[in-house]
Amino acid sequence: MTASAHPELDLTVSRIIRAPRAAVWNAWVDPVSFEKWWVPAPTICRVREMDLRPGGSFRTEISDDGVEFGPHITGCFLAVDELERIIFTDALVAGWRPSEAAFVTAVMTMADHPDGTEYTATAMHRNVADRNQHEELGFHDGWGTVIGQLAAVVE
Amino acid sequence: MTASAHPELDLTVSRIIRAPRAAVWNAWVDPVSFEKWWVPAPTICRVREMDLRPGGSFRTEISDDGVEFGPHITGCFLAVDELERIIFTDALVAGWRPSEAAFVTAVMTMADHPDGTEYTATAMHRNVADRNQHEELGFHDGWGTVIGQLAAVVE
């Protein structure tokens, strides 16, 4: 597990996924695969924009019934390092423009592990209040669930 | 002049600087030079952090008397393309962490021009209200003044 540099501000989940790094990477960058695991089932996810480059738009929507979709993530990729790391934030939108509602920067890393891939997701917040709010909203349960779903897609 | 993609959200100033692109670039990336032009004189600028890479910290302070310094920019670089482009935002701080006070993403470009270098600075805002507030606060006067100071340093 990668230690967070600021545990008082950040939340982290990590899991050994029994699949090669390329499979985990592909499950992230292919929208059809991504939609299968990005939100806890039975909620349905749709990728509206996934422009995987620094400054590129990242926008997902969610639905309970598959008919009416509402906003989920509206953000911007900050770093896309193939097979290694993806970083996005909702503090910016497409083209690095400041957003109306900033909350988190998310850092996902993939590293080789004897049993497959160590996948780590860290949520960075601006202050302790936001971090604690995110924890109370169920960060560990939610992000833990979706990483389990990611593992189920690729293993 | 580079047209802004979103004139209703962005503010832009541009100037032909009679110096080569490398000179303009160096006046940006060398803190000693940078402090000479970054804020309108007689206000004094100090570079506290200038980590010129995506995710790197950018922090400047200002002073009226050279003794007491207060905060100016506290932000994060998003793109640093040598001799071509620098982008930073105050919506994030070092390591891409969301900031407490987001207002602007600034895009500075340098392009060859028959008379030297075309330097363009664009301020991107989240909405029309922020853009108009920035204009009323004296964007064109302030950014125009400091680009004139930049020209004076390098010409």
Side-chain angles (χ1 to χ4, degrees), chain A residues 51 54-57 75-77 92-98, chain B residues 78 87 105 107 124:
Chain A
D51 184 6
S57 180
C76 172
F77 291 107
L92 303 171
V93 296
W96 293 296
R97 181 179 300 283
Chain B
L78 298 168
I87 304 179
T105 295
V107 181
M124 300 168 60

Side-chain angles (χ1 to χ4, degrees), chain B residues 130-151:
Chain B
D130 277 14
R131 178 224 177 267
N132 291 348
Q133 183 193 351
H134 202 176
E135 190 166 45
E136 284 155 23
L137 286 169
F139 168 84
H140 290 287
D141 193 30
W143 288 43
T145 294
V146 305
I147 293 179
Q149 293 180 168
L150 166 59

Side-chain angles (χ1 to χ4, degrees), chain A residues 15 28 77-78 100 107 113 121 132:
Chain A
R15 178 175 176 135
W28 226 107
F77 291 107
L78 298 168
E100 294 281 354
V107 180
H113 184 278
N132 292 348

